[in-house]
């Protein structure tokens, strides 16, 4: 996976505006639109670009209640086992193994506080989970970089 300086410039432009045309990006990095497309196709094929997505306003999405939950597991739990258990809970939006006292952190997005509680209870009932510690998001100061 060789990524050169032009590739890095294209990736930076995509972070700024993923809807920019090949021509717009080409103008900014000094390449033809077809050369930008070829590079992007290669970056996708090589797994550098892992996907394209859209971020929907949580109010419109109907999942505006958000919490970050630390998981403390019983004994040693393999990451693939946590992934299996957590991916089966629809309101778990993201999950990470982490360093520190917690074993993992999950982000839960639900339609309301009562439904957040339901999702949290599903996480707590997983046999690998000993306890949790939650923080409910009150307001978003800014989103993913490049999406402000």
């Amino acid at each position: 996976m060789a990524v050169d300086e032009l590739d890095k410039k294209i990736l930076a432009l995509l972070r700024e505006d993923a809807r920019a045309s090949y021509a717009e990006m080409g103008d900014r990095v000094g390449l033809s639109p077809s050369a930008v497309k070829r590079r992007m196709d290669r970056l996708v094929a090589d797994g550098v670009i892992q996907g394209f997505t859209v971020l929907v306003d949580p109010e419109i999405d109907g999942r505006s209640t958000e919490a970050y939950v630390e998981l403390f597991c019983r004994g040693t739990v393999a990451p693939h086992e946590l992934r299996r258990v957590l991916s089966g809970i629809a309101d778990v939006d993201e999950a990470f193994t982490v360093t520190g006292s917690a074993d993992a952190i999950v982000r839960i997005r639900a339609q309301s506080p009562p439904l957040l509680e339901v999702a949290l209870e599903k996480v707590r009932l997983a046999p690998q989970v000993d306890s949790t510690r939650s923080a409910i998001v009150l307001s978003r100061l800014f989103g993913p970089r490049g999406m402000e």
Side-chain angles (χ1 to χ4, degrees):
M1 256 192 276
V3 177
D4 64 18
E5 288 306 311
L6 281 173
D7 292 333
K8 289 177 184 178
K9 288 178 183 177
I10 291 169
L11 291 170
L13 291 172
L14 286 170
R15 285 186 187 103
E16 282 178 31
D17 180 6
R19 294 186 63 190
S21 69
Y22 296 132
E24 290 170 313
M25 289 191 284
D27 286 344
R28 302 240 341 243
V29 299
L31 293 173
S32 69
S34 59
V36 171
K37 182 185 181 324
R38 280 193 304 275
R39 282 177 174 267
M40 284 185 57
D41 289 345
R42 180 182 48 78
L43 292 168
V44 169
D46 288 350
V48 175
I49 296 175
Q50 298 180 351
F52 298 89
T53 190
V54 61
L55 297 175
V56 178
D57 180 336
E59 293 293 330
I60 302 301
D61 193 17
R63 298 173 65 214
S64 60
T65 303
E66 182 176 14
Y68 288 84
V69 182
E70 293 179 300
L71 276 60
F72 301 88
C73 297
R74 293 182 182 96
T76 302
V77 179
H80 72 273
E81 182 63 17
L82 276 177
R83 182 183 311 114
R84 184 189 65 74
V85 170
L86 296 170
S87 65
I89 302 171
D91 287 330
V92 172
D93 208 38
E94 294 182 283
F96 310 91
T97 55
V98 295
T99 62
S101 59
D103 296 294
I105 294 177
V106 299
R107 182 171 71 127
I108 297 176
R109 289 184 56 210
Q111 292 179 340
S112 64
L115 291 175
L116 174 67
E117 187 174 22
V118 169
L120 187 54
E121 190 59 27
K122 288 178 185 176
V123 170
R124 288 179 180 145
L125 288 173
Q128 301 83 348
V129 175
D130 188 42
S131 64
T132 62
R133 181 171 46 215
S134 305
I136 296 175
V137 175
L138 299 177
S139 65
R140 182 174 298 280
L141 301 176
F142 61 88
R145 296 286 181 185
M147 303 311 256
E148 297 93 31

